[in-house]
Amino acid sequence: MALFDDAKMSVDLLCKVTPSPAPAKPARPPLSQSLASSNANNSPSKRIVTIPETPETKEAVVGEGDGVFTVALMVAAVGEGEILSDGSRKTKDILENISRFVSKEQNTTVQVGGQGKMIETKMRVFVKNSIEAKAVEDYITAHPDQKPAAFVLLVRSLDMAVVYEASGLDPSSAAVADRLRKQAKTRAVRLVREAIACPHTKMSPILLRGHEGPTGPAATLEGFIRSRSVRITGAASSQRYIAFNAKSRPQDVAAHPRPARAAAAPSAPP
């Protein structure tokens, strides 16, 4: 198994509900999806990756032919406060762009604290060591008591692990790395939405919009995130990640077809 670290970027389940007794069901397949599903068929080389569905299993088992692309993210939300202009003009421009422009999936609605109430949230997901992440972190550090805050920290560091088929994808390619990184951000948005909706995190519109300051939600949400993290089998460290399988595109399969088996040599005549 290859562990690919994106160097250019850098508890228990809080919402566990004891299920009511139910008739035994056939075992579900692993929470996995073949990168090259169209080529999987019933071949003995079919890729199998097991990602735990519950945090009781603290380890993700990765197949021998798989690689793991890791990336650390930071998640914040745009609050209702104004951006204070006490830094450099360049930094303020960065912060204003973060506040205004974002992908549709990060400009989302969330259910808050199990209340059933949906509110609009301008979520922002950054690679941890990016210029944007540093600008937001530095602003929050410089204005810890701003209410309402201009930015609200949701998760300070979210370690993601994207499991991919090493024979089909090469993360040293900038295009492939960007795509895996984007998938990690999409999964991060989904996870943070789940955390905000969990009644045990006690989120509220007031907290999410910065009326209690810029760091209120982070402590509670990070506990939920830790409950979902797992170790990666074969990884050098015991660090935990949010692990999931990469999604493939048809052209990936076409560009990296499985090699055909060599035909058997004809037997020599008697």
Side-chain angles (χ1 to χ4, degrees):
M1 181 203 76
L3 182 63
F4 193 98
D5 190 5
D6 183 24
K8 294 182 180 180
M9 317 159 289
S10 197
V11 171
D12 297 325
L13 179 61
L14 297 177
C15 290
K16 181 177 178 182
V17 178
T18 305
S20 56
K25 296 181 180 179
R28 293 178 61 187
L31 182 57
S32 61
Q33 178 175 336
S34 170
L35 238 76
S37 58
S38 61
N39 279 353
N41 300 324
N42 294 318
S43 166
S45 59
K46 181 178 179 180
R47 173 175 179 264
I48 299 177
V49 178
T50 302
I51 304 296
E53 295 190 38
T54 61
E56 285 81 355
T57 305
K58 290 293 184 182
E59 197 163 26
V61 181
V62 180
E64 186 175 340
D66 297 316
V68 180
F69 178 89
T70 64
V71 56
L73 304 175
M74 186 188 84
V75 187
V78 176
E80 293 188 338
E82 294 184 3
I83 299 174
L84 304 178
S85 55
D86 53 0
S88 69
R89 182 63 206 176
K90 180 180 178 180
T91 299
K92 188 177 182 185
D93 287 344
I94 292 172
L95 294 172
E96 287 179 346
N97 285 336
I98 290 170
S99 180
R100 291 197 201 104
F101 307 113
V102 72
S103 64
K104 291 181 180 179
E105 64 187 13
Q106 294 181 31
N107 216 9
T108 185
T109 57
V110 294
Q111 181 179 353
V112 181
Q115 301 171 11
K117 183 179 181 180
M118 303 294 290
I119 67 168
E120 291 186 1
T121 301
K122 296 180 180 179
M123 217 179 283
R124 299 295 184 265
V125 184
F126 314 103
V127 174
K128 175 69 176 171
N129 62 354
S130 66
I131 294 173
E132 293 82 2
K134 186 178 186 307
V136 171
E137 272 194 306
D138 288 350
Y139 182 89
I140 289 174
T141 300
H143 305 91
D145 301 316
Q146 184 184 7
K147 296 179 183 178
F151 298 97
V152 181
L153 186 63
L154 301 181
V155 186
R156 192 178 307 274
S157 184
L158 180 53
D159 295 312
M160 308 294 292
V162 189
V163 180
Y164 65 93
E165 188 170 15
S167 64
L169 291 176
D170 179 12
S172 65
S173 161
V176 172
D178 285 344
R179 184 151 53 86
L180 294 177
R181 207 174 294 125
K182 183 177 180 181
Q183 290 184 25
K185 289 182 178 181
T186 299
R187 181 57 63 99
V189 169
R190 185 190 309 175
L191 182 65
V192 173
R193 288 185 67 194
E194 290 177 13
I196 292 172
C198 175
H200 293 277
T201 61
K202 298 179 181 179
M203 287 295 103
S204 69
I206 290 176
L207 276 172
L208 288 175
R209 289 169 176 163
H211 290 269
E212 295 295 330
T215 59
T220 304
L221 294 180
E222 286 173 352
F224 181 98
I225 300 300
R226 283 195 300 273
S227 76
R228 298 295 183 90
S229 62
V230 296
R231 286 187 294 268
I232 303 295
T233 298
S237 71
S238 59
Q239 186 173 352
R240 286 184 166 87
Y241 299 88
I242 301 299
F244 68 99
N245 286 291
K247 294 180 180 179
S248 65
R249 300 180 302 182
Q251 52 265 47
D252 294 330
V253 178
H256 301 277
R258 295 185 183 274
R261 293 186 178 182
S267 57

